[in-house]
Amino acid sequence: MTNNTRTKLWVGVGTSVLLGTSSASWAEFESPTDYTQAPDTLLLASADHGGEGGEGGEGGEAGHAQGGEGGEGGEGGEGGGASDPYAVFDYLNESAAGEGGEGGEGGEGGQAHSSSEGGEGGEGGEGGQAHSSSEGGEGGEGGEGGEGGEGGEGGEGGEGGEGGEGGEGGNVDASNPGVYYTNLAMMKGHLFVARDLFQEGEKTAAQPHFGHPIEEHYEPLELAFEERGVEDFKSTLEALVEEAREGEEWDDNAEAYAAAMEAIDSAMQDVDEALRSDVAFQSRVQLALLRQAMHEYEEAIKDGQFVNVVEYQDSRGFVQVAKSLLESHSDLYDSESLDELQAAYTETLTAWPSAVAPETPAMTPGELSASLFKLEAELGQY
């Protein structure tokens, strides 16, 4: 790994230490400001639309000669910014967002004082495509007004098309293999923390987490399951919920838990093997999970106290599953990087001394942000 590579740091959640904030962001993406609570997708509630292109200027009046040309259509406005943890998978999209609208047609040339009419202005070009979190394309130029006859005015240039919208915030694009894989990993994170809570004697606190894979992730993935030919396993997850509700000891749930984890793993295996064996892909899955964990941890704490222990527990599960992915794909990393990553995970997990939230946070959000930055800096090299 070259020194040049090592300096290519993806500025992530740890940047907050330098900036005096605890917000999570990448160099390419602005920090989101309006999060949805569920499902666990850390997406903006909606992305801003690109601004509408300005109207083309009116063609100047002709004298006794031919009509003047229509003015050019104004450029389309920039698309609004949007950010989400899945932005690291934009490179896997064939087309990340909708096209900008077509520019309006140029106005007709004014009628000539003689019998012939001016020709219609050409159509404006289409606005460029907008990727999620990127700017909307410029609206096409309005067509030139047709030449008038004597004294006819050139038609107005058409309006530039609207810039393409940024990625829709409330939806999970499960057609993207990275988004699909990460949502399945989040299912496992919920079950990790549900198991730990149950085993620590917190049966009631564990119940919501057994249900989260269904409530927060399964439905957004159903179309992807159908398109991929993945066997429906919702009933397997539901069986675990029922067993956990009735079981008194963890051994009563162990078989149903193993079946649920096996079903999730099987669905993850549907992602192309070459992609699953790609170090960049596995690193980005971990990055998405860590970014989500940071958000959940921030939501759990206010004024130095826990106000939402469920979010504390979710964040723990997501870091645990990210670490498990590193361990199960350790052969993809060189020994030096692997050692650094394992050490950074060990340090980060001290924020969660157990699945049960401590009386006061072991780390402030800012301290966790600094710890996660070490992971992001290393993973961001791939």
Side-chain angles (χ1 to χ4, degrees), residues 143-158:
E144 295 181 354
E147 293 183 355
E150 285 188 5
E153 293 182 0
E156 292 185 1

Side-chain angles (χ1 to χ4, degrees), residues 55-301:
E55 197 171 289
E58 188 173 310
E61 255 188 51
H64 295 292
Q66 295 173 329
E69 293 181 352
E72 293 184 354
E75 294 182 356
E78 294 183 356
S83 180
D84 66 72
Y86 305 131
V88 293
F89 303 119
D90 281 355
Y91 76 107
L92 297 173
N93 288 336
E94 290 184 4
S95 176
E99 296 180 356
E102 291 187 2
E105 292 185 0
E108 292 187 1
Q111 288 190 344
H113 291 292
S114 62
S115 58
S116 60
E117 294 185 358
E120 292 187 0
E123 293 186 0
E126 292 187 359
Q129 290 186 340
H131 299 288
S132 62
S133 307
S134 68
E135 296 180 353
E138 293 183 355
E141 294 182 355
E144 295 181 354
E147 293 183 355
E150 285 188 5
E153 293 182 0
E156 292 185 1
E159 293 184 0
E162 292 189 2
E165 295 182 9
E168 189 73 27
N171 299 321
V172 173
D173 180 15
S175 64
N176 182 306
V179 176
Y180 169 84
Y181 194 90
T182 302
N183 266 266
L184 288 165
M186 285 181 179
M187 285 189 184
K188 295 180 70 172
H190 286 299
L191 295 185
F192 280 179
V193 77
R195 174 202 61 199
D196 292 348
L197 284 166
F198 200 105
Q199 291 179 338
E200 290 180 33
E202 298 291 333
K203 177 183 174 182
T204 300
Q207 298 308 310
H209 298 287
F210 282 116
H212 284 171
I214 302 170
E215 298 162 4
E216 299 183 359
H217 302 286
Y218 197 92
E219 183 176 342
L221 294 176
E222 281 187 299
L223 181 59
F225 292 149
E226 183 179 337
E227 291 176 347
R228 289 173 172 273
V230 172
E231 185 176 351
D232 188 316
F233 61 94
K234 187 175 183 180
S235 60
T236 304
L237 298 175
E238 291 171 336
L240 174 59
V241 173
E242 290 302 315
E243 289 287 345
R245 186 178 294 125
E246 300 299 327
E248 293 298 328
E249 302 294 334
W250 178 248
D251 287 347
D252 299 333
N253 310 320
E255 186 176 341
Y257 179 85
M261 295 298 272
E262 184 179 347
I264 296 170
D265 283 333
S266 178
M268 294 175 81
Q269 294 299 308
D270 192 71
V271 170
D272 186 73
E273 195 274 335
L275 195 57
R276 286 186 283 110
S277 300
D278 176 43
V279 67
F281 178 79
Q282 290 296 337
S283 296
R284 290 177 186 226
V285 171
Q286 292 173 61
L287 287 167
L289 290 164
L290 295 172
R291 196 170 174 191
Q292 181 67 28
M294 183 70 238
H295 169 64
E296 303 281 349
Y297 195 81
E298 288 176 322
E299 291 292 297
I301 298 173

